[in-house]
Amino acid sequence: MTGQTAPAQPGAAISVDVPAKINPHLGVGDPRADGYHALSTVYQAISLHDTVTAERLGEPGIKLTISGEGAGTLPHDETNLAHKAAKLVALYAGIEPDVRLHLNKRIPVAGGLAGGSADAAGALIACARLWEVEIGDAELHRLAAGLGSDVPFCLKGGTAIGTGRGEELTPVAAKGGWHWVVATTDTQIATPECYKEVDRLREDGIGRYSSDVNAIVQAFERGASADELARLLVNDMEAAAVSLRPQLASLMHGGLEESALAAHVSGSGPTVLFLATDVKHAVALARRIRMRGGARSVHLAHGPVAGPAA
Ligand code: C5P
């Protein structure tokens, strides 16, 4: 689509809520020729979300403001993935961008919860709506995948199998919901750093590729109990995350001692997820984990939740 001009409605604003993701199954294969690792993962959107608002700026440009948790640590310029997403929509539509983007952050930053990818997905949707750009599903998916491996899932929400580098999605009809305590830490782990550590550990013979997602997919489809899910959680990056940030091990053990059904590093970490039996258990567990110390912040979340909603 080219030659379109953005409809002029200064003051119009579109807000989109975009959930964080977790990977109840994260199987990591060897690096491919393009440097990305082959993945066999199951994504699930959870009830922590950022809000992305796009408003007409009234002049050409993309302005970005950020509030909420960790706002001060994020780039406010064109290196922010949400900024790139806005630019991509304008480029696709052949229009001059004219937007003030605001990110209200509740998803912990650089925590393995895809906060940056969620903001990018939100910016794609909000800018397309603001500028009244028609983008088909396949094209939106292509733009999202160009921004990052997790961005396509952030557009969709729910539960899905991810293959390729994570961007090829197959939806899963999960029945029911599961409750988590989400514990963030004072450190951060950059995603490439964690993948490099996976490779390094494999050279030493540590690690495996958990490519088979069938057991956990079937558990989600039949609405398995949290007890059963606890035994099926897999993260091939966990050893690497703990190797990079050994303090994660004591946080995980602490949560298990406090009755969590499972402790699971979220994506490439360093956020740790604790599985609870139900919401009541999650509330009690969160309180006990807070009291023990060792976590920067402790949140309650449940999943799956639907994807971006205006
Ligand atoms: O796709 P995305 O930009 O989110 O990936 C960030 C980095 O994480 C990549 O540059 C790559 O180093 C690593 N990565 C990977 N294999 C994947 C996804 C990400 O090695 N499947």
Side-chain angles (χ1 to χ4, degrees), residues 77-139:
D77 58 12
E78 67 283 352
T79 61
N80 190 298
L81 214 50
H83 193 290
K84 290 183 185 172
K87 198 169 164 188
L88 210 53
V89 174
L91 206 65
Y92 171 79
I95 59 175
E96 191 76 63
D98 154 22
V99 66
R100 182 189 305 281
L101 272 182
H102 182 74
L103 313 179
N104 187 14
K105 300 228 35 101
R106 293 180 207 84
I107 304 174
V109 169
L113 294 164
S117 302
D119 298 342
L124 284 178
I125 294 173
C127 289
R129 288 195 192 150
L130 186 76
W131 295 328
E132 296 177 14
V133 179
E134 291 286 333
I135 310 183
D137 258 10
E139 199 53 31

Side-chain angles (χ1 to χ4, degrees), residues 91-264:
L91 206 65
Y92 171 79
I95 59 175
E96 191 76 63
D98 154 22
V99 66
R100 182 189 305 281
L101 272 182
H102 182 74
L103 313 179
N104 187 14
K105 300 228 35 101
R106 293 180 207 84
I107 304 174
V109 169
L113 294 164
S117 302
D119 298 342
L124 284 178
I125 294 173
C127 289
R129 288 195 192 150
L130 186 76
W131 295 328
E132 296 177 14
V133 179
E134 291 286 333
I135 310 183
D137 258 10
E139 199 53 31
L140 194 59
H141 181 278
R142 193 184 63 78
L143 296 184
L147 288 163
S149 308
D150 291 337
V151 184
F153 176 74
C154 291
L155 286 173
K156 294 282 177 202
T159 307
I161 300 168
T163 51
R165 58 182 170 91
E167 88 287 20
E168 290 167 18
L169 300 174
T170 308
V172 172
K175 258 193 220 140
W178 293 268
H179 294 269
W180 303 89
V181 174
V182 180
T184 70
T185 68
D186 279 328
T187 61
Q188 295 193 351
I189 302 179
T191 309
E193 184 189 6
C194 201
Y195 276 106
K196 277 201 192 102
E197 186 66 3
V198 169
D199 295 341
R200 196 189 67 79
L201 290 176
R202 287 216 175 125
E203 277 168 22
D204 292 343
I206 302 165
R208 63 209 155 136
Y209 179 21
S210 311
S211 57
D212 187 354
V213 298
N214 283 328
I216 198 161
V217 166
Q218 283 162 16
F220 282 130
E221 284 173 343
R222 67 170 182 276
S225 69
D227 269 316
E228 199 182 335
L229 182 62
R231 293 191 291 276
L232 295 171
L233 298 172
V234 166
N235 185 352
D236 289 351
M237 297 192 95
E238 195 157 288
V242 173
S243 158
L244 291 169
R245 305 287 184 271
Q247 64 268 43
L248 293 185
S250 58
L251 178 62
M252 293 170 82
H253 288 139
L256 291 170
E257 272 177 25
E258 298 296 354
S259 80
L261 301 180
H264 182 74

Side-chain angles (χ1 to χ4, degrees), residues 13-15 50-57 61-78 80-84 86 99-106 119-120 123:
I14 308 284
S15 278
D50 284 355
T51 303
V52 180
T53 303
E55 205 179 339
R56 300 304 296 267
L57 189 58
I62 301 170
K63 289 255 163 68
L64 180 62
T65 53
I66 311 177
S67 60
E69 187 171 329
T73 66
L74 293 172
H76 286 57
D77 58 12
E78 67 283 352
N80 190 298
L81 214 50
H83 193 290
K84 290 183 185 172
V99 66
R100 182 189 305 281
L101 272 182
H102 182 74
L103 313 179
N104 187 14
K105 300 228 35 101
R106 293 180 207 84
D119 298 342

